[in-house]
Amino acid sequence: MDINKTKSGNTTTVALKGRLDTVTSAQLSDELAAIWEALAGNLIFDFAALDYISSAGLRVILMAQKKINSLGLEMEITGVSDTVKEVFDITGFSEILKITC
Amino acid sequence: MIRVEHLSKKFGEHVVLKDVNAEIKKGEVIVIIGPSGTGKSVFMRCLNLLETPTTGKIYIDDVDILDKNTDVSKLRQKMGMVFQSFNLFAHLTVLENLTIGPVKLLGKSKADAEKKAIELLKMVGLAEKSRNFPDELSGGQKQRVAIARCLSMESDIILFDEPTSALDPTMVSEVLAVIRRLAKEGMTMAIVTHEMEIARNIASRVFYMDEGLIYEEGPPEQIFENPQKEKTKAFINRVRSFRYHIATPDYDLYAMNAEIEAFCEKHVLPKKVRHNVLLLLEELLAMINPANNWSEIDICLAYSEKYDSLMLTIESGGEEFNPLQESDLADDIGSIIVNSLGEKLEYERVDGKNIVSLIVKR
């Protein structure tokens, strides 16, 4: 999976490309650990190029949401494909996360 | 058109064909299937004497081709052959590949041969490539030229020896379209193939070869829906299912996924179903085999054409454990996904194995 971080003002955007699954979720987890240390503002996950997410990926996103909440900041997930949105819907994550398609 | 009686073929002591008896009538499309190494290609190559049979008789239009007085070259002109590796003449253009035979062997004028060649190239969709050389064409294009070449010789029957095996999946359909058209137009054909779509949808009869003979033959409905003999049943079941063994926790998930995608593509399953299969498998494997309690796993994905559904079965060893009801995982996210994307979820314990099965929802 490719992870591309960009910053615009105080907002950090993390764009994922590929699959967020059992194999790649640790990679995102490590990337986020570095991001928390330097985070100055809100976080956007750009999922436009993400084809697939499993429970392993959902757990990392959930942890990210909890961390953002504890920092008093906001997190948004953009560019969500129909396939990924369906996984968010069936697991109830659509209710917890701020998602735009 | 073709009658084969007690054909056998040995290579040294190795018997490939034991006792083959067959008849191919005019207008029939005979598709020959079977496991690798059961003599399908050898049988095909015996028909036009690319291989010499050890014993037996082959009649083409009631003429014994193995009789020493028979003009084999003349008889061979009646039979075109399309090979797995195309076998086009690399030093000739596409047009020249189609005209050399008619001019040199059928006595046609160059002008007539070229006119016919262009018509045939139009039929296979390659008229604009007439001046190209074979190495400038894709695999699918080469094979279509090879078919047009057989037609240029006005063959009565075309033999195909694994015509799509050397093509990548994206090119297979263009060649199948040409074969389908020829079948509709009444061309007599015998096709050795691993593409079950050809056997199911184009064949008038299917020969299943095994044990060095035509083990079972019949119309596609019989062979695929109601095979009579044990080995035919086992073969049909195998080609419709995907099996994978996971031996260690460090298995290559992506290699397994690639094989599953190829299986789904072969059965023309929608993208959504492919996605759901992969997700279901990933979640079930995590539920069945928590990190601290590893056991080897056997996966079976079986497609039922009759019910138009995909069944996923996972067998694992170790202690009795129903992952659909018990869980060692920290949350139930995986379980929610499994219950949403699968139906008819079942668990049973058989011969010391935990077996979980479900139908993949469409």
Side-chain angles (χ1 to χ4, degrees), chain A residues 14 27-37 43 45 60-61 64:
Chain A
V14 177
Q27 179 192 353
L28 180 60
S29 214
D30 292 344
E31 199 65 49
L32 288 171
I35 286 175
W36 302 141
E37 289 182 11
L43 180 65
F45 277 110
V60 176
I61 298 297

Side-chain angles (χ1 to χ4, degrees), chain A residues 21-22 52 54-55 59 90, chain B residues 254 275 279 282-283 331 336:
Chain A
D21 57 24
T22 316
Y52 174 102
S54 68
S55 63
R59 286 184 197 98
I90 62 181
Chain B
Y254 294 156
H275 169 272
L279 184 51
E282 182 179 338
E283 301 302 345
D331 56 54
I336 290 170

Side-chain angles (χ1 to χ4, degrees), chain B residues 177-205:
Chain B
V178 174
I179 294 176
R180 208 174 277 117
R181 182 174 168 166
L182 291 177
K184 248 186 173 163
E185 291 171 2
M187 172 62 75
T188 312
M189 296 187 277
I191 309 172
V192 168
T193 184
H194 289 290
E195 291 286 339
M196 293 303 129
E197 192 199 327
I198 300 180
R200 287 235 57 176
N201 299 324
I202 305 178
S204 40
R205 267 191 301 150

Side-chain angles (χ1 to χ4, degrees), chain B residues 58-92:
Chain B
I58 300 174
Y59 298 92
I60 310 288
D61 288 340
D62 294 320
V63 176
D64 178 0
I65 67 170
L66 295 168
D67 187 296
K68 60 176 184 289
N69 295 321
T70 300
D71 184 346
V72 172
S73 302
K74 209 95 194 135
L75 270 182
R76 270 209 181 119
Q77 282 179 23
K78 292 190 180 192
M79 290 193 284
M81 187 140 180
V82 175
F83 299 88
Q84 182 176 337
S85 50
F86 328 120
N87 290 353
L88 295 178
F89 300 121
H91 63 295
L92 300 178

